[in-house]
Each structure stands twice: as structure tokens, then as C-alpha cells.
């Protein structure tokens, strides 16, 4: 067992024990769509109702700020992914650059990031399902079966013991079944859903343009000014979790040193274009004040613009089908982080055990799905968005800091495999800008977010130290 401050060699991080190797079945197209599937949908279908009240029409600036930050980090991810083709993503990069302890802290951020993102998107999916049923058949899911027990009310936490959000739980179960069938099958289904999602969003933008009013952008900033913009950027930033998802698939990708960097950069480009297109048309078609607390917002905008129900039915149906891919991919990413931790003996072997019929971590997938389903069924999504963003931003900061460390080590010892992609302008400028941009967004997240995050990190570090001690005793005994 390595010491707590040990720094891993790339060959060790990228390797998996014999019999536990994941199937390398993903190409550039399916990998890029895996990342797009994890991003497009969360920031647009759901989060506008959370972000627009914070920034007003200037939420467009928030998306641009988040995209620039993600772009800087994407360059860092691309270099590290080309030299460390492992399934642990930020965790694996941190382990190579900084050792086990920092890597486990990053892994804790990723676990928070993926689990809550999957739960939050499943909750948002429930809103579009209810909107579709209402507009198409005139029937709504009973309130007690589509609202959570723990709700973020105006006076604080509200507990409704007779409420349980059932639709997200059903969605998570469906995702788990598909993931257990194998990565190739899951990726092909995801690719189809992503294409459908992009078509639905283009459909929205075309129709919403018919109701575009320039006066909806005046005043552009609300009373919070740039503070509101950075707060909104923090809320929507988790939408760029797709970068991490692409990197978690490195061990299941053909020619990962070339394919993963390209998949990251292409995915970011597609996501940014789609986000800006939909955000501008949505704000042009509906005053910013109407976004607050709006369920299935894009569908409601189309219904208002056209005065008819059928466009809302089409968009809600498309969202119900395509947002499946967001939950699917985030659960997938969570299981691969746990797989990498188990391979590195920081978690029990149960999390790396692969099924006989499909080379996927079966018990791992079931455990993750159960946790995600419980959170989605009981907790209000308002508690989840900023937590996901903070976990994502901390992971992005560590990835950025790892670039100069890895580059310097390569120059000194030659132990680090040559990267097929390198960050432009040297190893310091882009990573430094990436760290500063992440910190700029972090500063305006809510105090509650920081408190919950601090508690989670204390628990995670305690678990790391306890498991390390038990593992060491087992080896010496």
C-alpha cells in the first residue's frame, strides 16, 4: 500500500488488474456525444428557472463566463487526458500529479458532483414529463407523487412527509438497466438521444424567435449587477460536467491519447453554441421575471408564443426522451470514478468487480443508482445545483494546477508519457487563467453551499484516513 503522500506513475494509474479491464469500444463520435449528452439539457432545460432570477437577461453573460472558464479548463483536460488515459478523470490526474490524499479529495468532489447532478437532472425530467402528460392528455401526476419531501421554501427547509417524487426514481432505474447492459449499448442509445435533444432545442429556438422582443433585454442587469451574474454562472456551471465525463471514459476509448482531447474540445464547442442559441431566444420570447419558479420553462414559452399546446407537447416529449441521456451519462461517470478508486485500493474491490456478460462494474452501478434515486425522490433540486457547481469547479482547479506540475516532472525525469496535445502558450498562462476564472465564479456561491461542502469534505477525509488505516492493518496482518 502506498503512503499517504505517494505520487503515482502513469502506467500504474492507467492500468487495471487482469480480468478487470473495461471494453475499449468508444470512438470520437460516440465519445463527443457522451460529453454533449451530459451537458446540453441541464443548463438549458432546467436551470434557467434558477439562474435567470439571479442575473436577469444578463444570464447570457453568465453562460459566456461559464463557457470561457470551461474552455480554459478544457485545454488543461485535453493535455492531461492525452498523457493519462485512465478512467478516473480528474481523480487520476490528481493522483499522478499530487499523490493519493489530494486525489481522494478530488474524488470526493467528483462523487458529490456526479451523484447530485444525476439526481437534479432526474428531478427536472419529472417536470417535463408532467408537462407532457398535462398538455397531451389533460392528466397530471398527483402533487404528492411528483414533489419531494425536503423543499427549499422561502422561510428555509420545509419537510412534507406525505410527498415523494416518484418519476425521477423510475428514470434512474431505467438508466441503471441500460448501463448494466454494457458501455457500447449505452453509448449508442445516448448518441441517438443527444441528436434528438439537439433537434428539439433547434425546434424551440426557431419557434421562440417568432415571439422575440428586444425590450425583454431591458434592463440587461438586474439589481444584483455582476454579483448576480457570477452567482448565476455558479449555478449553471455544473452544465459543463460533460468535460469530466469524456475524461472518465478514457479507459473505454479507442486511441484515447488522440480521441479524448478531441472529444473534450468538440463537445465544448457544440455545447456553447447550443446554450447561447437557446438562452437568447428564450429571454427574447419571455420577460426575465417569469422564469422564477417556472416548471418545464421552455415548453411553457412555446405555449405562450404560439397560443397552442402542440409545440409544448413536442418539446416536452423530446425533453422526456432526451434528458434521459443526461442522467444516464452522469450515473455512468460516477461509477467510473468509483471503479478507478477501487482499482487504486482506496475503495473495496466490490466497486471494480465486472459482470460476466457485460464488462461493466455491476454492483458499483446498482449502488450508485440506489443513492441517486433516493436523493432524487426526497430532495428539492434547489439544494443541488450550486453543490454540483462547487464540486465541478474545485475539480477543475486541481486539473489546471496539475498541468505545470506534470510538465515540469516530464522535463526533469522523463517518467511522464509524452502528451499528444499540449496547452498553448506554455504550461502556466492558461492553467493560471483557468484557476482564477474558477475562483471568480466560486466567490458568489451561497453560504449554505460552502457549509454543506465543508461538512462533506470533512466526512470524505475522515473516510479516507479510516479506510487507509484498515487497509494497512490488513496488509501487515
Amino acid at each position: 500500500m502506498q503512503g499517504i503522500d505517494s505520487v503515482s506513475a502513469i502506467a500504474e494509474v492507467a492500468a487495471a488488474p487482469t480480468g478487470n479491464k473495461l471494453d475499449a469500444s468508444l470512438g470520437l463520435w460516440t465519445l463527443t456525444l457522451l460529453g454533449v449528452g451530459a451537458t446540453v439539457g441541464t443548463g438549458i432545460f432546467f436551470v434557467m428557472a434558477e439562474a435567470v432570477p439571479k442575473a436577469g437577461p444578463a444570464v447570457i453573460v453568465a453562460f459566456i463566463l461559464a463557457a470561457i472558464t470551461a474552455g480554459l479548463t478544457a485545454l488543461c483536460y485535453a493535455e492531461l487526458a492525452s498523457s493519462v488515459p485512465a478512467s478516473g478523470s480528474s481523480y487520476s490526474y490528481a493522483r499522478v500529479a499530487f499523490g493519493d490524499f489530494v486525489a481522494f479529495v478530488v474524488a470526493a468532489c467528483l462523487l458529490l458532483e456526479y451523484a447530485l447532478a444525476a439526481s437534479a437532472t432526474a428531478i427536472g425530467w419529472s417536470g417535463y414529463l408532467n408537462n407532457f402528460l398535462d398538455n397531451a392528455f389533460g392528466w397530471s401526476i398527483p402533487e404528492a407523487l411528483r414533489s419531494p419531501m425536503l423543499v427549499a421554501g422561502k422561510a428555509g427547509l420545509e419537510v412534507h412527509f406525505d410527498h415523494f417524487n416518484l418519476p425521477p426514481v423510475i428514470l434512474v432505474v431505467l438508466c441503471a438497466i441500460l448501463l448494466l447492459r454494457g458501455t457500447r449499448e449505452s453509448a449508442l442509445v445516448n448518441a441517438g438521444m443527444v441528436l434528438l435533444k439537439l433537434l428539439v432545442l433547434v425546434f424551440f429556438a426557431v419557434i421562440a424567435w417568432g415571439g422575440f422582443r428586444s425590450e425583454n433585454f431591458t434592463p440587461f442587469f438586474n439589481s444584483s449587477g455582476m454579483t448576480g451574474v457570477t452567482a448565476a454562472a455558479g449555478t449553471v456551471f455544473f452544465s459543463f460536467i460533460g468535460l469530466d465525463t469524456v475524461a472518465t471514459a478514457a479507459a473505454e476509448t479507442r486511441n484515447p491519447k488522440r480521441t479524448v482531447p478531441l472529444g473534450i474540445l468538440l463537445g465544448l464547442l457544440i455545447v456553447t453554441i447550443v446554450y447561447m442559441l437557446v438562452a437568447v431566444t428564450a429571454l427574447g420570447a419571455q420577460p426575465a421575471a417569469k422564469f422564477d419558479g417556472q416548471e418545464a420553462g421552455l415548453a411553457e414559452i412555446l405555449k405562450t408564443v404560439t397560443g397552442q399546446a402542440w409545440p409544448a407537447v413536442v418539446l416536452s416529449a423530446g425533453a422526456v426522451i432526451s434528458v434521459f441521456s443526461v442522467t444516464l451519462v452522469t450515473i455512468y461517470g460516477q461509477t467510473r470514478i468509483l471503479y478507478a478508486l477501487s482499482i487504486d485500493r482506496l475503495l473495496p474491490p466490490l466497486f471494480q468487480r465486472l459482470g460476466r456478460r457485460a464488462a461493466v462494474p455491476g454492483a458499483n452501478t446498482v449502488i450508485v443508482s440506489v443513492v441517486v434515486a433516493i436523493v432524487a425522490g426526497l430532495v428539492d433540486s434547489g439544494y443541488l445545483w450550486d453543490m454540483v457547481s462547487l464540486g465541478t469547479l474545485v475539480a477543475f482547479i486541481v486539473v489546471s494546477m496539475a498541468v505545470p506540475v506534470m510538465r515540469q516532472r516530464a522535463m526533469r525525469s522523463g517518467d511522464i508519457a509524452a502528451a499528444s496535445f499540449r496547452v498553448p502558450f506554455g504550461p502556466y498562462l492558461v492553467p493560471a487563467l483557468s484557476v482564477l476564472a474558477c475562483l471568480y465564479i466560486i466567490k458568489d456561491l451561497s453560504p449554505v453551499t460552502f457549509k454543506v461542502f465543508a461538512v462533506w469534505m470533512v466526512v470524505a477525509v475522515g473516510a479516507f484516513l479510516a479506510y487507509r488505516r484498515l487497509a494497512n492493518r490488513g496488509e501487515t496482518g
Side-chain angles (χ1 to χ4, degrees):
M1 174 71 68
Q2 292 173 302
I4 195 169
D5 299 317
S6 64
V7 176
S8 303
I10 285 181
E12 178 192 346
V13 170
T18 303
N20 278 323
K21 287 188 177 294
L22 298 166
D23 182 23
S25 59
L26 302 179
L28 177 60
W29 176 243
T30 49
L31 187 68
T32 300
L33 291 182
L34 194 72
V36 174
T39 54
V40 173
T42 49
I44 290 297
F45 278 115
F46 314 135
V47 173
M48 293 290 280
E50 295 285 338
V52 174
K54 295 179 179 179
V59 74
I60 293 172
V61 179
F63 274 108
I64 293 173
L65 177 59
I68 291 173
T69 304
L72 292 169
T73 312
L75 296 173
C76 300
Y77 263 102
E79 174 166 334
L80 297 177
S82 71
S83 60
V84 189
S87 62
S89 182
S90 310
Y91 156 74
S92 294
Y93 309 151
R95 188 165 184 248
V96 171
F98 304 115
D100 286 351
F101 181 71
V102 173
F104 194 87
V105 170
V106 171
C109 293
L110 295 177
L111 296 180
L112 186 72
E113 170 186 335
Y114 280 100
L116 298 188
S119 298
T121 52
I123 293 168
W125 176 85
S126 175
Y128 276 96
L129 175 64
N130 189 62
N131 184 278
F132 169 74
L133 294 173
D134 185 30
N135 285 308
F137 305 108
W139 181 82
S140 297
I141 302 170
E143 180 72 19
L145 291 178
R146 64 178 179 89
S147 56
M149 183 176 71
L150 305 177
V151 179
K154 292 184 178 180
L157 176 65
E158 298 176 2
V159 181
H160 304 278
F161 290 105
D162 58 340
H163 286 198
F164 183 77
N165 202 351
L166 181 60
V169 176
I170 296 173
L171 174 62
V172 172
V173 171
L174 294 174
C175 289
I177 292 171
L178 183 57
L179 288 169
L180 289 170
R181 291 182 61 86
T183 299
R184 176 178 169 79
E185 291 79 2
S186 302
L188 291 175
V189 172
N190 173 73
M193 290 181 177
V194 170
L195 293 175
L196 173 62
K197 188 189 311 184
L198 295 177
L199 289 174
V200 166
L201 291 174
V202 170
F203 168 79
F204 167 83
V206 170
I207 294 183
W209 185 257
F212 190 92
R213 296 176 181 273
S214 59
E215 55 264 32
N216 287 342
F217 291 88
T218 304
F220 189 64
F221 291 93
N222 64 13
S223 58
S224 300
M226 277 303 296
T227 300
V229 170
T230 50
T235 298
V236 304
F237 192 81
F238 86 97
S239 310
F240 294 93
I241 195 175
L243 293 177
D244 233 21
T245 304
V246 171
T248 63
E252 294 164 275
T253 301
R254 297 189 295 271
N255 191 13
K257 288 190 176 184
R258 172 186 176 276
T259 305
V260 172
L262 284 176
I264 290 170
L265 297 174
L266 286 174
L268 176 64
L269 177 63
I270 294 170
V271 165
T272 302
I273 291 172
V274 173
Y275 278 3
M276 295 308 299
L277 175 67
V278 177
V280 169
T281 52
L283 286 162
Q286 176 175 275
K290 290 188 176 181
F291 282 90
D292 192 6
Q294 192 174 47
E295 185 179 85
L298 299 190
E300 290 302 312
I301 290 173
L302 293 189
K303 190 174 181 179
T304 301
V305 168
T306 63
Q308 302 178 60
W310 73 264
V313 171
V314 171
L315 189 132
S316 293
V320 166
I321 297 171
S322 59
V323 173
F324 183 103
S325 68
V326 182
T327 310
L328 177 78
V329 173
T330 46
I331 293 175
Y332 166 87
Q334 174 81 294
T335 62
R336 276 21 180 205
I337 298 296
L338 293 171
Y339 172 85
L341 283 164
S342 182
I343 290 292
D344 293 336
R345 295 184 294 177
L346 298 178
L347 283 178
L350 174 69
F351 290 93
Q352 64 177 279
R353 197 170 298 151
L354 304 183
R356 293 182 180 180
R357 295 181 59 186
V360 296
N364 181 344
T365 301
V366 171
I367 292 170
V368 168
S369 298
V370 169
V371 172
V372 169
I374 291 172
V375 174
L378 297 179
V379 181
D380 184 2
S381 63
Y383 284 113
L384 304 180
W385 302 120
D386 286 359
M387 287 302 305
V388 176
S389 291
L390 183 53
T392 305
L393 286 160
V394 171
F396 280 14
I397 286 172
V398 175
V399 166
S400 302
M401 294 172 63
V403 170
V405 173
M406 300 266 290
R407 193 85 71 87
Q408 285 296 319
R409 190 176 301 145
M411 293 175 61
R412 289 198 307 266
S413 66
D415 287 341
I416 306 300
S420 59
F421 176 89
R422 287 187 178 274
V423 171
F425 310 115
Y428 298 106
L429 178 60
V430 170
L433 291 174
S434 175
V435 170
L436 290 174
C438 290
L439 291 173
Y440 181 72
I441 294 176
I442 285 175
K443 72 180 178 64
D444 286 318
L445 292 175
S446 68
V448 173
T449 300
F450 288 109
K451 290 177 183 177
V452 175
F453 185 78
V455 171
W456 169 248
M457 294 311 300
V458 169
V459 171
V461 170
F464 172 83
L465 295 174
Y467 183 76
R468 211 15 127 50
R469 180 173 296 179
L470 288 173
N472 284 333
R473 283 181 181 175
E475 288 186 358
T476 57

